[in-house]
Amino acid sequence: MEFKHKSVLLNETIDNLNIKPDGIYVDGTLGGGGHSYEICKRLSPEGRLIGIDQDEDAIRAASERLSEFKDRVTIVRSNYCEIAQVLKDLGIEGVDGIILDLGVSSFQLDTASRGFTYREDAPLDMRMDQRQETTAATIVNTYSEFDLYRIIRDYGEDKFAKNIAKHIVMAREEQPIETTGQLIEIIKAAIPMKVRAVGGHPAKKTFQAIRIELNKELEVLNDSVETMIDLLNDKGRICIITFHSLEDRIVKTKFKNCEDTCTCPPSFPVCVCGNKPKGKVITRKPIIPTEEEIVANKRSKSSKLRVFERIR
Ligand SMILES: C[S@@+](CC[C@H](N)C(=O)[O-])C[C@H]1O[C@@H](n2cnc3c(N)ncnc32)[C@H](O)[C@@H]1O
């Protein structure tokens, strides 16, 4: 199956990276290599791109897509939260730019057997890293009703979270929930008919919530942004594309905290803590896709790009 994925906010991200031809760049969410390809095109033979992804299929697709750039490119199967170790293993101390384009690729969504989609019946999987043992089925069959409610409410922002959690627990008392099809039927039964007729797919929000929880998407992001900023050389930039309001909030807050590092009480006339800002926020407001991009690629609709520049 061909790896199909339209890169989101592509020109905006590449422009904001301020690429130096002989610089070192990291793509922490390589996917099909769409953003990386544009970075590589701008590198000289001295430049380097390190591409990280935890998904075996993405590694395979990106390796092929970027093969023309030969040893300018190094691809590592890992979680981007391991970036410091990945760079250390490669003998790299600092980099000139990092990009993260979060969430799942269209390829992951469209490959029914990966269990991300509510459009076809498949085992409840949703692992981005197929080496991991727990799957979406583990969450659905073992989490308490309250925890299911909490994740569907917070990560799915579904108004019917409480009822969906209740229906999941009732159904699994009869038999384990093993397929996306079974889960969809349970969700449908938990949402009033009138709402089902007008809203989007009734399972969309719950599926998103389970995926975010399973892949620890928010924890990993929260734990990585500052490390990434610390790895940037002077004037190096980090560009992060998010698709969920909670992700965007994490990025916004982390960037702001790295800019406002002073811990002196507001009443102090001058700073005595001596904490230097790590850099500056380039995007006071996030960059969002144009109308044309949204029409051409529905997946870009909720995307937001934020950029931070390191100052040493
Ligand atoms: C939206 S896609 C990236 C698409 C890519 N920018 C392109 O233009 O082709 C996100 C990719 O990031 C990967 N990913 C998500 N979270 C990750 C993490 N914590 N560590 C490593 N890879 C991750 C997913 O497996 C997926 O392949």
Side-chain angles (χ1 to χ4, degrees):
M1 188 171 157
E2 196 192 340
F3 195 108
K4 281 208 188 110
H5 178 86
K6 269 202 196 109
S7 301
V8 169
L9 292 167
L10 183 59
N11 295 333
E12 292 86 344
T13 308
I14 299 299
D15 287 350
N16 270 287
L17 263 183
N18 278 353
I19 298 172
K20 293 196 294 190
D22 53 357
I24 305 178
Y25 293 85
V26 178
D27 182 344
T29 52
L30 190 58
H35 286 92
S36 281
Y37 189 86
E38 291 302 318
I39 298 175
C40 289
K41 262 175 41 189
R42 289 161 177 78
L43 296 179
S44 74
E46 274 63 57
R48 226 169 142 189
L49 175 103
I50 320 300
I52 301 173
D53 205 295
Q54 54 184 339
D55 182 332
E56 194 182 3
D57 296 334
I59 295 288
R60 200 176 314 113
S63 302
E64 212 179 295
R65 178 102 187 260
L66 303 175
S67 60
E68 67 187 84
F69 301 106
K70 310 228 164 59
D71 48 10
R72 238 173 269 182
V73 177
T74 307
I75 293 178
V76 183
R77 184 174 182 198
S78 185
N79 193 301
Y80 68 68
C81 67
E82 304 290 341
I83 185 171
Q85 190 60 44
V86 168
L87 293 179
K88 192 164 170 230
D89 292 346
L90 294 169
I92 297 170
E93 281 176 10
V95 299
D96 300 294
I98 299 175
I99 85 152
L100 290 180
D101 170 20
L102 299 169
V104 277
S105 66
S106 307
F107 180 81
Q108 286 166 329
L109 279 176
D110 295 343
T111 309
S113 60
R114 297 291 301 269
F116 286 104
T117 180
Y118 42 79
R119 300 193 194 282
E120 277 177 78
D121 195 16
L124 261 179
D125 191 326
M126 301 197 202
R127 289 169 300 171
M128 283 194 201
D129 186 339
Q130 302 95 327
R131 296 169 298 191
Q132 181 182 316
E133 271 177 24
T134 47
T135 65
T138 320
I139 293 179
V140 170
N141 289 296
T142 66
Y143 273 32
S144 69
E145 184 173 332
F146 180 78
D147 282 340
L148 287 168
Y149 161 54
R150 180 182 51 78
I151 64 169
I152 300 168
R153 179 195 61 192
D154 295 349
Y155 304 161
E157 291 164 333
D158 196 310
K159 278 205 302 245
F160 302 101
K162 204 168 201 157
N163 214 28
I164 294 171
K166 191 169 136 199
H167 275 74
I168 290 175
V169 171
M170 273 172 3
R172 76 187 188 197
E173 274 162 14
E174 301 295 316
Q175 57 166 322
I177 305 162
E178 275 158 1
T179 66
T180 52
Q182 275 174 286
L183 182 58
I184 290 165
E185 288 312 311
I186 295 163
I187 295 167
K188 279 187 182 161
I191 297 181
M193 191 68 131
K194 265 198 279 178
V195 181
R196 256 192 283 153
V198 290
H201 193 289
K204 185 174 177 191
K205 293 174 173 171
T206 301
F207 270 54
Q208 169 180 290
I210 295 171
R211 191 205 84 211
I212 291 177
E213 171 70 12
L214 177 70
N215 295 289
K216 302 195 167 41
E217 294 177 33
L218 301 177
E219 291 96 312
V220 166
L221 178 65
N222 195 50
D223 292 348
S224 303
V225 177
E226 208 171 328
T227 308
M228 290 183 168
I229 289 175
D230 288 340
L231 287 165
L232 289 171
N233 295 330
D234 187 35
K235 297 208 166 53
R237 287 189 169 189
I238 176 165
C239 296
I240 307 186
I241 303 169
T242 61
F243 291 86
H244 192 287
S245 57
L246 293 177
E247 282 175 343
D248 182 56
R249 196 184 306 158
I250 292 174
V251 175
K252 182 180 168 186
T253 310
K254 289 281 172 189
F255 281 3
K256 187 165 171 293
N257 292 347
C258 285
E259 187 178 60
D260 300 335
T261 44
C262 174
T263 52
C264 296
S267 58
F268 281 23
V270 289
C271 167
V272 293
C273 74
N275 291 337
K276 262 181 53 190
K278 292 187 186 224
K280 59 178 186 214
V281 175
I282 301 295
T283 42
R284 288 290 144 206
K285 287 226 163 77
I287 298 171
I288 55 172
T290 58
E291 278 302 318
E292 287 106 290
E293 177 165 6
I294 297 173
V295 172
N297 182 9
K298 254 181 35 204
R299 214 183 62 84
S300 69
K301 193 160 178 242
S302 60
S303 63
K304 289 196 169 117
L305 167 65
R306 291 189 188 265
V307 184
F308 186 90
E309 182 173 294
R310 182 84 166 113
I311 300 169
R312 287 198 179 267

